[in-house]
Amino acid sequence: MSEDLGITTSKKENIGEWYREVVTKSGLADYTSVSGCFVLKPLSYSIWTTVRRGLDKLFKDIGVENAYFPLFIPDKLLEKEAEHFEGFNPEVAWVTRAGNSELDEKLAVRPTSEAIMYDSYKDWIRSHRDLPLKINQWNNVVRWEFKHATPFLRTREFLWQEGHSAYASKEEALKDKKSVLDAYQEICEDRMALPCVRGTKTQKEKFDGAVNSYSLEHLLPDGQAIQGPSFHYDGENFAEAFGITFTDEDGEEKNVHQNTFGFSTRQIGIMIMMHSDDCGLVIPPRLAPTKAVVVPIYNNEEERKSVLGMAEEVNEKVEDCRIDNRDHKTPGWKFNEWEVKGVPLRIEIGSNEVEDGEVTLVRRDTGKKTSVKVEGIEKKVKEELEEMQKRLYRRAEEFMEENTRETEDYEELKRIIKEKGGFVKAPWCGKQVCEDIVKDDTKAKITNIPFKYDKPEDKKCVRCDERANHWVHFAKSR
Amino acid sequence: MSEDLGITTSKKENIGEWYREVVTKSGLADYTSVSGCFVLKPLSYSIWTTVRRGLDKLFKDIGVENAYFPLFIPDKLLEKEAEHFEGFNPEVAWVTRAGNSELDEKLAVRPTSEAIMYDSYKDWIRSHRDLPLKINQWNNVVRWEFKHATPFLRTREFLWQEGHSAYASKEEALKDKKSVLDAYQEICEDRMALPCVRGTKTQKEKFDGAVNSYSLEHLLPDGQAIQGPSFHYDGENFAEAFGITFTDEDGEEKNVHQNTFGFSTRQIGIMIMMHSDDCGLVIPPRLAPTKAVVVPIYNNEEERKSVLGMAEEVNEKVEDCRIDNRDHKTPGWKFNEWEVKGVPLRIEIGSNEVEDGEVTLVRRDTGKKTSVKVEGIEKKVKEELEEMQKRLYRRAEEFMEENTRETEDYEELKRIIKEKGGFVKAPWCGKQVCEDIVKDDTKAKITNIPFKYDKPEDKKCVRCDERANHWVHFAKSR
C-alpha cells in the first residue's frame, strides 16, 4: 500500500496530525478552497443521516416537530438579544451586498437561530392553548472562528439540529430536560459508542442567555475533555427580549419559559477520534453504511469463477455488504484500503474457503479472524457486529473510568491535570472565584457538575477552605 | 369561523391573494422579518421530508450518494465559470465581513454549487476508475431576487437537492437522463398528484452552461406554465472550466462529461396552487402527515364519554389519525379549521353514530360523506385516501389536457395565448428568431419540446414559412 493511502502518523505520537490523516484518507471529509470549511463526503454524510433519523424518532416521542427558518437574521433582531448574542458577535459572517447593491441593513448568517425563531414565536403564541410549542431545525450554521480549524471538531460552517421550545411554566419546561438528554445519551452511547458524563454546567460555563445549561461531556484519547450535545433552560430571558407572552387560563398575560438544545456534526469528530487507530478509521457498526466487504482471493480464472460465485452468495445473505472485485488491486492492497475506510468486517474468500464451504471473518477493531460456514453466515456477521459495537463502547468507558481521578488536595489536582489529564473529580464550594483560580493555575475548567455524584458530605472545596457543595469534574477542554 | 381563520379570497377571482391566504392560514409557511424569506412550518417541512425520502430512495438505485459542500464560494472560483455564473451574478448575496473584520476576498452565499463542488471534483477524479461520480446535496441556496416574493414559488432562500455527476463519456451521462427524469416524474405524479410534460428546453431557454436542458413543465390553474424539476447535460463545459480530467484505459487524458439536476421546494407551491380550493389547503393524501382527523360531536357528559370512547377506537385503527377533542371549540369550527389545514379525511362521530356502530367519513376534496362501520374502517379509509389521491391527479390531468390547444396558425396562437392561456402546441422551425418574435408578440415562451410528440410531417413553422422540425409548447410562464 502506498504511503498516499495508508495512515503514516501514530495516534499516540501526534494525535492532531493522525486525526487529519484518518479523516481525509478514509474519505470522510475533505478540505476546500474556503478556509475553515470542509466537504462532508458520502461516508460521513451517511453517518450524519443515520444519527439524524435516530434523533428525529426520539424527538417525535417528545412532541418535537421539524421546521425551517431563514438563514439570514437582520441586524435589528440581534440587538434584541444583545446579552445572548454578545458571545457570537466576533464570529458572525455578515452579508452586506446582494448583486451589485449594498443592502440597507446587513444580515447575519445564522450562528444560531434564537433571534429569527423567537421573532416568529412572539406572533404564533397568544394563548396557553398554543403551548407547548416544540420546534426543531436541522440546518447549517456559521461561526467564523479565527482559530485553527479541524474537520468536524472546529469548523466555520457546521450542520446541527437546534431545538427551541416554549412552555407555560418552568416545571413543564424542565420536564423535557430529561427526555432530551436521554435522547442525546441514547444516540451517543448506543449508536456512536461514546460514553458520556451528564451534568449541569456552572454559571461561568453556561450558554449566554440560559438560566442553566446541561451537557454531555466526553473524554478524548489525549486526555482532554470535549463538550458533546447540550440543553439549556432559558427561563423567561428570551421571552423578555422578544416579548413572547401568552394569556393563561385565568386571562393573565405571562412570559413563556423556554428550552434550547443542540447536537452537531462535531459529535462525528469525537467518535472518530475515540475509536479509530493507526490503521485508519473505526466506525461503530450501527453507524457504518457498509458493514462488511467481501475480498475474493484467487490465482487463476478457474479459482476466480468459484470464488466470485461464493462471494455473490455471501453478499446476498449479509446486509449492507459489498464485494470488492477490482481486478487491478491485490487482496493485500484491498485489506489495507478497507481498514483505512473503517468497514467493520472483512470477509476473505479464497479457493480453500470455497472447498470447505467456509469463509474467514476479520474484525476491523481487533483483527480477530474467525472461520465461518457460509450457511447461516448472516447470523454470525450480526453477532460479530454487535460484539464489536459493545466492545468499542466498553473500551471507551474503561478509558474514561481510568482517566477519572478523585482528589481533595489542590496540589494533587494541579499535578494530575499537568501530568495525566483526564477528568479530576474534586469537591467545590460553588463560588466562581475558586473556579477562576483553578483555571488560571491549571488551564482546566469545570466541565460540568455530574448528576451521578451525590452532594459531598463534610468535604472542603479543593481550592479554598469552605464547605464543598458539589463534586465536579475539572479538565482541560478542547 | 372567524374571518381570521377562513379563506376570504376566491381562487378564481384573485389567485395570488388566495394563494397567500391558503399558505399562511393553513400553517404551511409564514412571513419573516427578512424580506423574501419564509418559515417552512412543520406542515410543509413534513411534506418536504417525505418528498426527500422518496427521491433519496430513487436516487440510491441510480447510484447517487448524498454529501455536503460549503455554503460559501470564494469569488475567484466563480470567475472560472464566468459564462455559467453570469446569469446568477445579479442575484448573489455576498459575505464581506466576519466579526469586525473585512474579508480579504468576498464570499458568495451559494446560489448553486457547481463552482465549489467541481473544485473538489478536479482533485477527486484522476482515473477512469474514479468514474462515474454521482453526488447529490440537500441544502439551502440563496438567490437575491428583487421581484415580489411568493412563498415556495419565488423566495430568496429555498431548499432543494442539486445532483452533480461526472462520467467518462457522453453516452454514459445521457443514460442517467432518463433515470433521473423518471425519478422526478414519479415524485411529481405519484406523490404530488402533479401531471407534467417532459421535454427538451430550447437553446434560448436552457440553463447557462448546459449543452442541453430537460424539464418537467406544469400548468397552473391560472393557465400559466411553470417549470418543475430539471436536468442538464453539461457536456465538457465545466470540465474545461475547472480542469476535471481523467486518464482513460488507454492512458489518454480526457475531460469528464457532466450532468446536473435539481428539485426544489417550489414544487410544494405548485402542488398547493393546483389542488387547493376556496376552503383552504388540499394535500394529496400520500404527502399529508395527518391523513384523518376525528371530530367528536356530543351534547352532554354521557354522550361525551361514549363518543370519545369510539373516537379512541377509530384513532387506534386508522394510521396517521388524530382526535380533535378540544372542549372550547364547536364541531363546526373544527370542521372548518381542518378544511383550511387540508387534512384529507374528516371522521365525524356523534351519539347516533355510536348507537349504529358507524361513523361518517367526509372527503376534503369533494365533501362527499360516507357512512362506515367502525369494524374494518382502516380498509375503507385507505380506499378513500387512494381514491382521493387518484382523483386529484386525474382532475389536474384533465385540466392540463383541456388547456393544451393545438394550432398551426399564428393569429390563432396569439389569440389563444391572450384569451385562454395554457399550453399551445404548435409546429416550430427550430430557429431562435421565431422563438424571439413569438415572445415579443405574446410574452409566451417555448416551455419545452415535449418528448411525447413525434416530429411534425410536412408542417410549416407557426411563425415563418419554413419547414417545422418540432412540435413545441408555447405558454406564458411564471
Side-chain angles (χ1 to χ4, degrees), chain A residues 30 33 40 42 45 52 66-68 71-72 92 94-99 119 124 129 140 144 157 328, chain B residues 30 33-34 40 42 45 52 66-68 71 92 94-99 119 124 129 140 144 157 328:
Chain A
D30 203 358
S33 300
L40 297 193
Y45 197 82
R52 177 174 168 160
N66 290 330
Y68 187 78
L71 171 67
F72 298 131
V92 172
W94 293 103
V95 172
T96 62
R97 299 176 61 83
D119 188 48
W124 295 352
R129 296 200 176 93
N140 54 338
W144 209 256
E157 181 189 7
H328 65 289
Chain B
D30 202 359
S33 298
V34 193
L40 298 191
Y45 196 82
R52 177 174 168 161
N66 290 331
Y68 186 79
L71 170 68
V92 173
W94 292 102
V95 172
T96 63
R97 302 177 60 81
D119 188 48
W124 295 353
R129 295 200 176 92
N140 53 339
W144 210 257
E157 181 188 6
H328 64 290

Short mmCIF file of all heavy atoms in Angstrom, two decimals, chain A residues 30 33 40 42 45 52 66-68 71-72 92 94-99 119 124 129 140 144 157 328, chain B residues 30 33-34 40 42 45 52 66-68 71 92 94-99 119 124 129 140 144 157 328:
data_model
loop_
_atom_site.label_atom_id
_atom_site.label_comp_id
_atom_site.label_asym_id
_atom_site.label_seq_id
_atom_site.Cartn_x
_atom_site.Cartn_y
_atom_site.Cartn_z
N ASP A 30 -13.12 16.37 3.33
CA ASP A 30 -12.02 16.92 2.57
C ASP A 30 -11.94 18.43 2.79
O ASP A 30 -12.94 19.06 3.13
CB ASP A 30 -12.19 16.61 1.07
CG ASP A 30 -10.85 16.65 0.33
OD1 ASP A 30 -9.81 16.94 0.95
OD2 ASP A 30 -10.87 16.39 -0.89
N SER A 33 -11.57 25.13 -0.84
CA SER A 33 -10.97 26.45 -1.06
C SER A 33 -11.41 27.48 -0.03
O SER A 33 -10.88 28.58 0.00
CB SER A 33 -11.37 27.00 -2.43
OG SER A 33 -10.94 26.15 -3.43
N LEU A 40 -18.38 17.37 3.68
CA LEU A 40 -18.78 16.09 4.27
C LEU A 40 -19.00 15.15 3.09
O LEU A 40 -19.96 15.31 2.34
CB LEU A 40 -20.07 16.21 5.06
CG LEU A 40 -20.11 17.12 6.28
CD1 LEU A 40 -21.38 16.85 7.09
CD2 LEU A 40 -18.90 16.92 7.17
N PRO A 42 -19.67 11.40 1.11
CA PRO A 42 -20.79 10.48 1.34
C PRO A 42 -20.65 9.63 2.60
O PRO A 42 -21.64 9.38 3.29
CB PRO A 42 -20.78 9.62 0.06
CG PRO A 42 -20.34 10.58 -1.00
CD PRO A 42 -19.27 11.42 -0.32
N TYR A 45 -21.53 11.87 5.56
CA TYR A 45 -22.91 12.36 5.45
C TYR A 45 -23.90 11.23 5.73
O TYR A 45 -24.96 11.46 6.31
CB TYR A 45 -23.17 12.97 4.07
CG TYR A 45 -24.41 13.81 4.07
CD1 TYR A 45 -24.39 15.12 4.53
CD2 TYR A 45 -25.63 13.29 3.68
CE1 TYR A 45 -25.53 15.90 4.59
CE2 TYR A 45 -26.79 14.05 3.74
CZ TYR A 45 -26.73 15.35 4.18
OH TYR A 45 -27.88 16.12 4.24
N ARG A 52 -29.31 11.54 12.41
CA ARG A 52 -30.47 12.42 12.28
C ARG A 52 -31.78 11.64 12.37
O ARG A 52 -32.70 12.03 13.08
CB ARG A 52 -30.35 13.14 10.93
CG ARG A 52 -31.49 14.04 10.58
CD ARG A 52 -31.20 14.82 9.30
NE ARG A 52 -32.42 15.45 8.84
CZ ARG A 52 -32.48 16.48 8.02
NH1 ARG A 52 -31.39 17.00 7.53
NH2 ARG A 52 -33.63 17.00 7.65
N ASN A 66 -40.19 19.21 13.24
CA ASN A 66 -39.18 19.89 12.44
C ASN A 66 -39.77 21.01 11.59
O ASN A 66 -40.89 20.91 11.11
CB ASN A 66 -38.49 18.89 11.50
CG ASN A 66 -37.60 17.92 12.26
OD1 ASN A 66 -37.06 18.27 13.30
ND2 ASN A 66 -37.46 16.72 11.73
N ALA A 67 -38.98 22.07 11.42
CA ALA A 67 -39.38 23.20 10.59
C ALA A 67 -38.11 23.80 9.99
O ALA A 67 -37.01 23.30 10.23
CB ALA A 67 -40.13 24.22 11.42
N TYR A 68 -38.27 24.86 9.19
CA TYR A 68 -37.09 25.52 8.64
C TYR A 68 -37.27 27.04 8.64
O TYR A 68 -38.23 27.55 8.06
CB TYR A 68 -36.79 25.03 7.21
CG TYR A 68 -35.48 25.60 6.72
CD1 TYR A 68 -34.28 25.05 7.15
CD2 TYR A 68 -35.44 26.73 5.90
CE1 TYR A 68 -33.06 25.59 6.77
CE2 TYR A 68 -34.23 27.28 5.50
CZ TYR A 68 -33.05 26.71 5.95
OH TYR A 68 -31.85 27.26 5.57
N LEU A 71 -31.99 31.49 6.81
CA LEU A 71 -30.56 31.51 7.07
C LEU A 71 -30.09 32.87 7.60
O LEU A 71 -29.14 32.96 8.35
CB LEU A 71 -29.85 31.22 5.73
CG LEU A 71 -28.34 31.36 5.63
CD1 LEU A 71 -27.65 30.30 6.50
CD2 LEU A 71 -27.88 31.21 4.18
N PHE A 72 -30.76 33.93 7.13
CA PHE A 72 -30.31 35.29 7.46
C PHE A 72 -31.09 35.89 8.62
O PHE A 72 -32.30 35.67 8.75
CB PHE A 72 -30.45 36.20 6.24
CG PHE A 72 -29.62 35.76 5.08
CD1 PHE A 72 -30.16 35.65 3.80
CD2 PHE A 72 -28.27 35.44 5.25
CE1 PHE A 72 -29.38 35.24 2.73
CE2 PHE A 72 -27.49 35.03 4.17
CZ PHE A 72 -28.05 34.93 2.91
N VAL A 92 -19.56 36.35 13.71
CA VAL A 92 -20.67 36.38 12.75
C VAL A 92 -20.18 36.76 11.35
O VAL A 92 -19.44 37.71 11.18
CB VAL A 92 -21.75 37.38 13.21
CG1 VAL A 92 -22.80 37.57 12.12
CG2 VAL A 92 -22.39 36.90 14.49
N TRP A 94 -21.22 38.33 7.90
CA TRP A 94 -22.24 39.33 7.53
C TRP A 94 -22.41 39.43 6.02
O TRP A 94 -21.44 39.60 5.30
CB TRP A 94 -21.84 40.71 8.05
CG TRP A 94 -21.87 40.83 9.54
CD1 TRP A 94 -20.78 40.82 10.37
CD2 TRP A 94 -23.03 40.99 10.38
NE1 TRP A 94 -21.19 40.96 11.67
CE2 TRP A 94 -22.56 41.07 11.72
CE3 TRP A 94 -24.40 41.09 10.13
CZ2 TRP A 94 -23.43 41.23 12.80
CZ3 TRP A 94 -25.26 41.25 11.21
CH2 TRP A 94 -24.78 41.32 12.53
N VAL A 95 -23.65 39.35 5.57
CA VAL A 95 -23.98 39.65 4.18
C VAL A 95 -24.27 41.14 4.11
O VAL A 95 -25.15 41.63 4.82
CB VAL A 95 -25.20 38.85 3.70
CG1 VAL A 95 -25.64 39.33 2.31
CG2 VAL A 95 -24.88 37.36 3.66
N THR A 96 -23.52 41.83 3.28
CA THR A 96 -23.71 43.29 3.16
C THR A 96 -24.11 43.71 1.75
O THR A 96 -24.52 44.83 1.54
CB THR A 96 -22.40 44.04 3.50
OG1 THR A 96 -21.41 43.65 2.55
CG2 THR A 96 -21.91 43.70 4.91
N ARG A 97 -23.95 42.79 0.78
CA ARG A 97 -24.26 43.13 -0.61
C ARG A 97 -25.13 42.05 -1.24
O ARG A 97 -25.01 40.88 -0.89
CB ARG A 97 -22.98 43.21 -1.44
CG ARG A 97 -21.97 44.25 -1.01
CD ARG A 97 -20.71 44.14 -1.88
NE ARG A 97 -21.01 44.39 -3.27
CZ ARG A 97 -21.10 45.61 -3.80
NH1 ARG A 97 -20.92 46.66 -3.04
NH2 ARG A 97 -21.39 45.76 -5.08
N ALA A 98 -25.97 42.46 -2.19
CA ALA A 98 -26.70 41.49 -3.00
C ALA A 98 -26.59 41.96 -4.43
O ALA A 98 -26.92 43.10 -4.74
CB ALA A 98 -28.15 41.39 -2.56
N GLY A 99 -26.09 41.08 -5.30
CA GLY A 99 -25.81 41.50 -6.67
C GLY A 99 -24.84 42.67 -6.61
O GLY A 99 -23.80 42.58 -5.96
N ASP A 119 -38.67 35.71 16.98
CA ASP A 119 -39.41 36.78 16.34
C ASP A 119 -40.72 36.24 15.75
O ASP A 119 -41.72 36.95 15.70
CB ASP A 119 -38.52 37.38 15.24
CG ASP A 119 -39.13 38.63 14.63
OD1 ASP A 119 -39.56 39.52 15.40
OD2 ASP A 119 -39.18 38.72 13.38
N TRP A 124 -46.81 33.71 17.00
CA TRP A 124 -47.52 32.43 16.96
C TRP A 124 -48.17 32.10 18.31
O TRP A 124 -49.13 31.35 18.38
CB TRP A 124 -46.57 31.29 16.58
CG TRP A 124 -46.02 31.40 15.19
CD1 TRP A 124 -46.39 32.30 14.23
CD2 TRP A 124 -45.01 30.57 14.60
NE1 TRP A 124 -45.66 32.09 13.08
CE2 TRP A 124 -44.81 31.04 13.29
CE3 TRP A 124 -44.24 29.49 15.05
CZ2 TRP A 124 -43.88 30.46 12.41
CZ3 TRP A 124 -43.33 28.90 14.18
CH2 TRP A 124 -43.15 29.39 12.87
N ARG A 129 -53.25 27.79 25.06
CA ARG A 129 -53.60 26.70 24.14
C ARG A 129 -52.56 26.55 23.02
O ARG A 129 -52.54 25.54 22.33
CB ARG A 129 -54.98 26.93 23.53
CG ARG A 129 -56.08 26.91 24.55
CD ARG A 129 -57.43 26.65 23.93
NE ARG A 129 -58.42 26.54 24.98
CZ ARG A 129 -59.15 27.56 25.43
NH1 ARG A 129 -59.03 28.76 24.92
NH2 ARG A 129 -60.03 27.37 26.41
N ASN A 140 -27.64 24.33 8.65
CA ASN A 140 -26.24 24.71 8.67
C ASN A 140 -26.09 26.03 9.40
O ASN A 140 -26.93 26.92 9.25
CB ASN A 140 -25.70 24.81 7.24
CG ASN A 140 -26.53 25.74 6.35
OD1 ASN A 140 -27.71 25.99 6.65
ND2 ASN A 140 -25.97 26.22 5.27
N TRP A 144 -17.63 32.19 12.47
CA TRP A 144 -16.37 32.49 11.80
C TRP A 144 -15.22 32.51 12.81
O TRP A 144 -14.67 33.55 13.11
CB TRP A 144 -16.47 33.81 11.04
CG TRP A 144 -15.57 33.84 9.86
CD1 TRP A 144 -14.39 34.49 9.75
CD2 TRP A 144 -15.76 33.16 8.63
NE1 TRP A 144 -13.83 34.26 8.53
CE2 TRP A 144 -14.64 33.44 7.82
CE3 TRP A 144 -16.77 32.32 8.11
CZ2 TRP A 144 -14.50 32.93 6.52
CZ3 TRP A 144 -16.62 31.81 6.84
CH2 TRP A 144 -15.50 32.12 6.07
N GLU A 157 -18.35 26.43 9.23
CA GLU A 157 -19.74 26.07 8.99
C GLU A 157 -19.91 24.65 9.51
O GLU A 157 -19.03 23.82 9.35
CB GLU A 157 -20.05 26.10 7.47
CG GLU A 157 -21.51 25.75 7.18
CD GLU A 157 -21.79 25.57 5.68
OE1 GLU A 157 -20.84 25.59 4.87
OE2 GLU A 157 -22.96 25.38 5.33
N HIS A 328 -7.53 -4.97 -10.67
CA HIS A 328 -6.22 -4.34 -10.74
C HIS A 328 -5.60 -4.08 -9.37
O HIS A 328 -4.58 -3.41 -9.27
CB HIS A 328 -6.32 -3.01 -11.52
CG HIS A 328 -7.17 -1.99 -10.84
ND1 HIS A 328 -8.55 -2.10 -10.73
CD2 HIS A 328 -6.84 -0.84 -10.19
CE1 HIS A 328 -9.02 -1.06 -10.08
NE2 HIS A 328 -8.01 -0.28 -9.73
N ASP B 30 -44.85 30.94 6.83
CA ASP B 30 -45.13 32.25 7.40
C ASP B 30 -44.09 33.25 6.90
O ASP B 30 -42.96 32.87 6.54
CB ASP B 30 -45.12 32.19 8.92
CG ASP B 30 -45.92 33.33 9.56
OD1 ASP B 30 -46.47 34.17 8.82
OD2 ASP B 30 -45.99 33.38 10.80
N SER B 33 -39.08 38.53 9.23
CA SER B 33 -38.50 39.88 9.17
C SER B 33 -37.52 40.03 8.01
O SER B 33 -37.06 41.14 7.75
CB SER B 33 -37.72 40.18 10.45
OG SER B 33 -38.55 40.15 11.54
N VAL B 34 -37.13 38.93 7.39
CA VAL B 34 -36.21 39.01 6.26
C VAL B 34 -37.05 39.01 4.99
O VAL B 34 -37.67 38.01 4.65
CB VAL B 34 -35.24 37.83 6.22
CG1 VAL B 34 -34.11 38.12 5.25
CG2 VAL B 34 -34.70 37.51 7.60
N LEU B 40 -40.62 27.63 6.73
CA LEU B 40 -41.35 26.41 6.42
C LEU B 40 -41.80 25.85 7.75
O LEU B 40 -40.98 25.38 8.54
CB LEU B 40 -40.46 25.39 5.71
CG LEU B 40 -39.85 25.76 4.37
CD1 LEU B 40 -39.24 24.51 3.72
CD2 LEU B 40 -40.90 26.32 3.43
N PRO B 42 -43.94 23.28 10.43
CA PRO B 42 -43.90 21.81 10.45
C PRO B 42 -44.72 21.12 9.35
O PRO B 42 -44.29 20.10 8.81
CB PRO B 42 -44.44 21.48 11.86
CG PRO B 42 -43.93 22.62 12.70
CD PRO B 42 -44.07 23.83 11.80
N TYR B 45 -42.71 21.40 6.11
CA TYR B 45 -41.42 20.72 6.25
C TYR B 45 -41.62 19.21 6.26
O TYR B 45 -40.79 18.45 5.75
CB TYR B 45 -40.68 21.18 7.51
CG TYR B 45 -39.22 20.81 7.47
CD1 TYR B 45 -38.31 21.61 6.78
CD2 TYR B 45 -38.76 19.64 8.04
CE1 TYR B 45 -36.98 21.25 6.69
CE2 TYR B 45 -37.43 19.27 7.96
CZ TYR B 45 -36.55 20.08 7.28
OH TYR B 45 -35.22 19.71 7.18
N ARG B 52 -38.30 14.22 0.06
CA ARG B 52 -36.86 13.96 0.14
C ARG B 52 -36.57 12.47 0.31
O ARG B 52 -35.72 11.92 -0.39
CB ARG B 52 -36.30 14.77 1.33
CG ARG B 52 -34.85 14.57 1.60
CD ARG B 52 -34.37 15.52 2.70
NE ARG B 52 -33.04 15.11 3.13
CZ ARG B 52 -32.17 15.88 3.78
NH1 ARG B 52 -32.48 17.11 4.09
NH2 ARG B 52 -30.99 15.42 4.13
N ASN B 66 -25.41 11.04 -1.22
CA ASN B 66 -25.53 12.37 -0.64
C ASN B 66 -24.24 12.82 0.04
O ASN B 66 -23.52 12.02 0.62
CB ASN B 66 -26.65 12.40 0.40
CG ASN B 66 -28.02 12.27 -0.24
OD1 ASN B 66 -28.21 12.70 -1.38
ND2 ASN B 66 -28.96 11.68 0.45
N ALA B 67 -23.97 14.12 -0.06
CA ALA B 67 -22.80 14.71 0.59
C ALA B 67 -23.17 16.15 0.97
O ALA B 67 -24.30 16.58 0.73
CB ALA B 67 -21.61 14.69 -0.35
N TYR B 68 -22.22 16.86 1.58
CA TYR B 68 -22.48 18.26 1.91
C TYR B 68 -21.24 19.11 1.65
O TYR B 68 -20.18 18.86 2.23
CB TYR B 68 -22.94 18.41 3.37
CG TYR B 68 -23.35 19.83 3.65
CD1 TYR B 68 -24.60 20.29 3.23
CD2 TYR B 68 -22.48 20.73 4.26
CE1 TYR B 68 -24.97 21.61 3.43
CE2 TYR B 68 -22.84 22.06 4.46
CZ TYR B 68 -24.09 22.49 4.04
OH TYR B 68 -24.45 23.79 4.22
N LEU B 71 -21.31 26.22 2.22
CA LEU B 71 -22.30 27.24 1.85
C LEU B 71 -21.66 28.37 1.05
O LEU B 71 -22.29 29.00 0.21
CB LEU B 71 -22.89 27.81 3.14
CG LEU B 71 -23.78 29.04 3.10
CD1 LEU B 71 -25.11 28.71 2.42
CD2 LEU B 71 -24.06 29.57 4.53
N VAL B 92 -26.62 37.34 -6.42
CA VAL B 92 -25.78 36.72 -5.41
C VAL B 92 -25.72 37.56 -4.14
O VAL B 92 -25.51 38.77 -4.19
CB VAL B 92 -24.35 36.49 -5.94
CG1 VAL B 92 -23.43 36.01 -4.83
CG2 VAL B 92 -24.38 35.47 -7.06
N TRP B 94 -23.59 38.43 -0.93
CA TRP B 94 -22.15 38.39 -0.66
C TRP B 94 -21.83 38.60 0.81
O TRP B 94 -22.29 39.56 1.42
CB TRP B 94 -21.43 39.49 -1.45
CG TRP B 94 -21.44 39.28 -2.94
CD1 TRP B 94 -22.26 39.92 -3.84
CD2 TRP B 94 -20.61 38.40 -3.70
NE1 TRP B 94 -21.99 39.48 -5.11
CE2 TRP B 94 -20.97 38.53 -5.06
CE3 TRP B 94 -19.60 37.48 -3.36
CZ2 TRP B 94 -20.37 37.80 -6.08
CZ3 TRP B 94 -19.00 36.76 -4.38
CH2 TRP B 94 -19.39 36.92 -5.72
N VAL B 95 -21.02 37.71 1.36
CA VAL B 95 -20.48 37.92 2.70
C VAL B 95 -19.17 38.69 2.53
O VAL B 95 -18.26 38.23 1.81
CB VAL B 95 -20.21 36.58 3.41
CG1 VAL B 95 -19.46 36.81 4.72
CG2 VAL B 95 -21.51 35.86 3.69
N THR B 96 -19.09 39.85 3.16
CA THR B 96 -17.89 40.66 3.02
C THR B 96 -17.19 40.89 4.36
O THR B 96 -16.07 41.35 4.39
CB THR B 96 -18.23 42.05 2.43
OG1 THR B 96 -19.10 42.71 3.36
CG2 THR B 96 -18.91 41.93 1.08
N ARG B 97 -17.89 40.60 5.46
CA ARG B 97 -17.33 40.84 6.79
C ARG B 97 -17.50 39.61 7.66
O ARG B 97 -18.46 38.87 7.53
CB ARG B 97 -18.06 41.99 7.51
CG ARG B 97 -18.06 43.31 6.82
CD ARG B 97 -18.89 44.33 7.61
NE ARG B 97 -18.37 44.54 8.95
CZ ARG B 97 -17.35 45.34 9.25
NH1 ARG B 97 -16.77 46.02 8.29
NH2 ARG B 97 -16.93 45.46 10.48
N ALA B 98 -16.56 39.40 8.59
CA ALA B 98 -16.72 38.38 9.62
C ALA B 98 -16.32 39.03 10.93
O ALA B 98 -15.23 39.59 11.05
CB ALA B 98 -15.86 37.16 9.33
N GLY B 99 -17.21 38.97 11.91
CA GLY B 99 -16.97 39.69 13.16
C GLY B 99 -16.79 41.16 12.83
O GLY B 99 -17.63 41.74 12.14
N ASP B 119 -14.55 22.22 -7.96
CA ASP B 119 -13.21 22.48 -7.46
C ASP B 119 -12.69 21.26 -6.68
O ASP B 119 -11.48 20.99 -6.68
CB ASP B 119 -13.26 23.73 -6.56
CG ASP B 119 -11.89 24.21 -6.14
OD1 ASP B 119 -11.01 24.32 -7.02
OD2 ASP B 119 -11.69 24.47 -4.93
N TRP B 124 -10.56 14.92 -6.97
CA TRP B 124 -11.03 13.57 -6.65
C TRP B 124 -10.96 12.65 -7.85
O TRP B 124 -10.87 11.43 -7.71
CB TRP B 124 -12.49 13.61 -6.14
CG TRP B 124 -12.67 14.33 -4.83
CD1 TRP B 124 -11.69 14.82 -4.01
CD2 TRP B 124 -13.91 14.65 -4.19
NE1 TRP B 124 -12.24 15.42 -2.90
CE2 TRP B 124 -13.60 15.33 -2.98
CE3 TRP B 124 -15.26 14.43 -4.50
CZ2 TRP B 124 -14.59 15.79 -2.11
CZ3 TRP B 124 -16.24 14.89 -3.63
CH2 TRP B 124 -15.90 15.56 -2.45
N ARG B 129 -11.25 4.89 -13.33
CA ARG B 129 -11.77 4.08 -12.22
C ARG B 129 -12.48 4.93 -11.16
O ARG B 129 -13.19 4.41 -10.32
CB ARG B 129 -10.63 3.31 -11.55
CG ARG B 129 -10.01 2.28 -12.47
CD ARG B 129 -9.26 1.23 -11.70
NE ARG B 129 -8.76 0.23 -12.62
CZ ARG B 129 -7.55 0.26 -13.18
NH1 ARG B 129 -6.71 1.23 -12.90
NH2 ARG B 129 -7.20 -0.69 -14.02
N ASN B 140 -29.68 24.45 1.34
CA ASN B 140 -30.35 25.73 1.16
C ASN B 140 -29.53 26.57 0.19
O ASN B 140 -28.30 26.56 0.25
CB ASN B 140 -30.51 26.46 2.50
CG ASN B 140 -29.19 26.59 3.26
OD1 ASN B 140 -28.24 25.83 3.01
ND2 ASN B 140 -29.11 27.52 4.19
N TRP B 144 -30.91 36.28 -4.59
CA TRP B 144 -31.47 37.53 -4.11
C TRP B 144 -32.30 38.20 -5.18
O TRP B 144 -31.94 39.24 -5.70
CB TRP B 144 -30.37 38.44 -3.59
CG TRP B 144 -30.87 39.34 -2.50
CD1 TRP B 144 -31.19 40.66 -2.61
CD2 TRP B 144 -31.14 38.97 -1.15
NE1 TRP B 144 -31.64 41.13 -1.41
CE2 TRP B 144 -31.62 40.12 -0.49
CE3 TRP B 144 -31.03 37.79 -0.42
CZ2 TRP B 144 -31.98 40.12 0.86
CZ3 TRP B 144 -31.39 37.79 0.91
CH2 TRP B 144 -31.86 38.94 1.53
N GLU B 157 -34.40 32.58 -0.33
CA GLU B 157 -33.72 31.36 0.09
C GLU B 157 -34.69 30.22 -0.15
O GLU B 157 -35.88 30.36 0.08
CB GLU B 157 -33.37 31.42 1.59
CG GLU B 157 -32.64 30.16 2.07
CD GLU B 157 -32.46 30.11 3.60
OE1 GLU B 157 -33.00 30.97 4.29
OE2 GLU B 157 -31.78 29.18 4.06
N HIS B 328 -63.19 23.66 23.91
CA HIS B 328 -63.60 25.07 23.76
C HIS B 328 -63.95 25.45 22.32
O HIS B 328 -64.16 26.62 22.02
CB HIS B 328 -62.51 25.99 24.30
CG HIS B 328 -61.22 25.91 23.53
ND1 HIS B 328 -60.41 24.80 23.56
CD2 HIS B 328 -60.64 26.79 22.69
CE1 HIS B 328 -59.36 25.02 22.78
NE2 HIS B 328 -59.48 26.21 22.25
#
